[in-house]
């Protein structure tokens, strides 16, 4: 199961997590933040921090989700070849692919 987190900015209010002191959202922290400031932040309550990598992964996930599942051009060309009677099946290649698939199931 995939959980998708998106559409949040640092200016949007977030409902507090049960048992937390606050429900604030914290923007990305710079890597060189002093330890004292980090411990002061952690003492005020629970916070959500999204790294640049997490944001990039979310953008990639969105792009992939919008990509078509079926290559319509390839389907159309195969359909045309079947209709014309010119579609040929390479039985050796099909057998090889079946064996590859079966060996991957073990």
């Amino acid at each position: 199961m995939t959980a998708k987190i998106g559409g949040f900015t640092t200016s949007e209010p977030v409902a507090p997590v049960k048992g937390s002191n606050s429900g604030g959202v914290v923007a990305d922290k710079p890597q060189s933040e002093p330890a004292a400031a980090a411990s002061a932040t952690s003492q005020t309550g629970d916070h959500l921090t999204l790294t640049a990598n997490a944001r990039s992964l979310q953008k990639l996930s969105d792009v992939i989700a919008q990509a078509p599942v079926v290559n319509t051009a390839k389907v159309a060309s195969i359909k045309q070849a079947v209709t014309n009677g010119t579609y040929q099946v390479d039985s050796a290649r099909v057998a090889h692919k079946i064996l590859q698939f079966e060996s991957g199931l073990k």
Side-chain angles (χ1 to χ4, degrees):
M1 185 163 108
T2 304
K4 184 176 181 181
I5 300 174
F8 292 102
T9 64
T10 57
S11 62
E12 293 180 4
V14 177
V17 177
K18 187 175 183 180
S20 71
N21 294 334
S22 71
V25 176
V26 177
D28 289 342
K29 292 187 281 185
Q31 296 296 331
S32 61
E33 182 178 71
S39 65
T41 302
S42 65
Q43 293 175 358
T44 60
D46 297 328
H47 298 281
L48 172 66
T49 302
L50 297 177
T51 64
N53 288 342
R55 292 174 198 259
S56 295
L57 286 173
Q58 183 62 51
K59 287 178 184 177
L60 286 172
S61 176
D62 292 343
V63 169
I64 290 169
Q66 294 174 2
V69 177
V70 177
N71 183 344
T72 55
K74 187 171 184 174
V75 170
S77 70
I78 292 172
K79 189 182 274 189
Q80 184 65 34
V82 169
T83 302
N84 293 340
T86 59
Y87 183 74
Q88 295 181 359
V89 177
D90 182 356
S91 59
R93 185 171 185 255
V94 171
H96 178 71
K97 292 290 185 176
I98 289 172
L99 289 174
Q100 270 186 322
F101 177 76
E102 289 294 325
S103 67
L105 293 177
K106 294 179 183 180

